[in-house]
Amino acid sequence: MITLQNPLDMHIHLREGEILKSVLNFSAKYFSGVLAMPNLKIPLDDTNSILKYKKEIENTAKELNCGNFMPIMSIYLSESLNKNELIKAKKEGIKILKLYPKGATTGSENGISEILNQKICDIFEIAQDLGFILSIHGESNGFSLEREFEFGEIFREIAINFPRLKIIMEHLSDRRSIDLLKYDNIFATITLHHITMSLDDVLGSGLNPHYFCKPILKTKKDRDALLNLALSGDEKISFGSDSAPHLESNKLKQNGAAGIFSAPILLPKLCEIFEKHKKLENLQKFISDNARKIYDLQNIPNKTITLIKESFKVQDFIVIGDDRIIPLLAGKSLSWRIKDL
Ligand code: DOR
Ligand code: ZN
């Protein structure tokens, strides 16, 4: 048995409307708080829309009887974002600024194409002064397996030029990125899928679109290096699932939407891995304590989650109208389960 205090998922796509209603319980019941990504169909680059979305999440969590739960909001860095909007957002308690390179992933059409140009550097300066945390989807538009590594240059430039700005490398996927953690102001999140799977799972035996995500899963060496980093409880690393539900029809058609829906299995699977590697004692840091410090999170609602070593079968799918969403490890059995609250 293990007890986790106040689990936090520092990177998740909750979507909106019907999908939100169908996926939120997996997070809101078992996590004290989650950092909700702003890449909705209409990107959340203004305070009013963010507050409206926050209300939608809170109301849905109430309807679903999820107990104490805090959505942590982020603002989308689009070309139209300006100083006044950042000031307004900060006043409303929004302190995460999310940067997507234009075209890098789902919902990044309104992202930034020239990240180091003057206008965007001015935004970084303002963000630094206001105490924002800059969360970055770090991928270039180069060869797909090199994208995160190539983006390293940009991380370096921002870290050096804005030393008081906290920068989060989101969803680490390439072991060469780990070196960037030597900069005092660079931190990272790590997903479940990047520490348990490799490119072989996507295309090693038939093409599996459900394991297709951005950044793409890489080599087994990358997976293992990131796994060891997560297991170590390193204080610069928070857990961020990047759980990203897509309708099955969009996964199978439309060129294969990128995103892995891992929310239904996160805590049991993490227990399984940390136990297997005899590092259960570090799970609390990875799942909550590090994030509380890095993001300076106050007033997190209290939640105590107990997991027991009993078999748990992952559901095959979630029905959405006449479509479905397929979770990671659908139909498989895990060796830990969450004890009923
Ligand atoms: O695989 C991904 N899916 N990566 C992202 O960065 C976005 C996400 C989504 O929103 O579906
Ligand atoms: Zn994401």
Side-chain angles (χ1 to χ4, degrees), residues 285-322:
K285 291 184 216 159
F286 181 58
I287 203 69
S288 180
D289 298 355
N290 294 344
R292 281 179 88 148
K293 288 184 204 136
I294 296 169
Y295 297 81
D296 188 23
L297 296 174
Q298 321 264 332
N299 309 321
I300 293 292
N302 262 325
K303 221 169 229 179
T304 303
I305 303 294
T306 302
L307 290 108
I308 48 181
K309 210 171 165 193
E310 276 180 18
S311 170
F312 157 63
K313 187 169 177 287
V314 183
Q315 64 195 94
D316 293 308
F317 52 81
I318 292 158
V319 175
I320 308 273
D322 54 5

Side-chain angles (χ1 to χ4, degrees), residues 43 45 76-83 98-102 109-121 123:
D45 64 353
Y76 191 112
L77 177 40
S78 68
E79 295 284 355
S80 56
L81 189 64
N82 58 40
K83 182 173 181 175
K98 177 71 195 260
L99 165 60
Y100 290 99
K102 191 180 176 72
E109 298 78 12
N110 291 76
I112 304 299
S113 37
E114 293 286 327
I115 293 168
L116 293 176
N117 76 11
Q118 193 53 48
K119 188 173 149 209
I120 303 302
C121 285
I123 291 282

Side-chain angles (χ1 to χ4, degrees), residues 144-327:
S144 54
L145 292 174
E146 295 295 317
R147 285 177 188 175
E148 186 175 301
F149 177 67
E150 288 175 2
F151 198 90
E153 265 315 300
I154 297 182
F155 276 124
R156 221 170 264 122
E157 281 291 312
I158 304 175
I160 292 168
N161 290 316
F162 304 94
R164 290 177 292 112
L165 181 61
K166 268 189 178 170
I167 301 159
I168 315 283
M169 299 188 285
E170 294 294 337
H171 39 56
L172 283 189
S173 69
D174 186 316
R175 66 189 188 282
R176 295 170 291 179
S177 304
I178 297 172
D179 182 51
L180 293 165
L181 291 166
K182 69 185 177 210
Y183 292 97
D184 286 346
N185 54 338
I186 295 191
F187 302 79
T189 58
I190 291 185
T191 73
L192 170 66
H193 45 273
H194 289 102
I195 60 176
T196 51
M197 302 196 293
S198 73
L199 190 56
D200 256 8
D201 293 286
V202 190
L203 43 70
S205 55
L207 191 59
N208 189 335
H210 297 293
Y211 293 166
F212 175 58
C213 64
K214 300 281 184 73
I216 194 145
L217 298 171
K218 303 213 167 46
T219 68
K220 292 184 176 177
K221 276 192 184 157
D222 292 303
R223 176 198 64 190
D224 293 347
L226 295 169
L227 171 62
N228 285 328
L229 183 59
L231 290 171
S232 74
D234 187 302
E235 58 184 22
K236 284 201 146 187
I237 307 296
S238 318
F239 172 64
S241 69
D242 201 12
S243 177
H246 285 279
L247 295 175
E248 189 177 31
S249 59
N250 291 340
K251 273 275 179 197
L252 304 181
K253 296 177 221 154
Q254 293 198 0
N255 299 328
I260 293 179
F261 178 49
S262 55
I265 64 163
L266 295 172
L267 295 178
K269 188 65 190 172
L270 285 171
C271 279
E272 201 180 281
I273 301 164
F274 275 66
E275 187 205 22
K276 179 173 166 213
H277 294 276
K278 301 194 169 39
K279 291 287 184 214
L280 265 181
E281 73 274 14
N282 287 341
L283 184 52
Q284 178 62 36
K285 291 184 216 159
F286 181 58
I287 203 69
S288 180
D289 298 355
N290 294 344
R292 281 179 88 148
K293 288 184 204 136
I294 296 169
Y295 297 81
D296 188 23
L297 296 174
Q298 321 264 332
N299 309 321
I300 293 292
N302 262 325
K303 221 169 229 179
T304 303
I305 303 294
T306 302
L307 290 108
I308 48 181
K309 210 171 165 193
E310 276 180 18
S311 170
F312 157 63
K313 187 169 177 287
V314 183
Q315 64 195 94
D316 293 308
F317 52 81
I318 292 158
V319 175
I320 308 273
D322 54 5
D323 213 327
R324 317 189 295 180
I325 296 176
I326 313 290

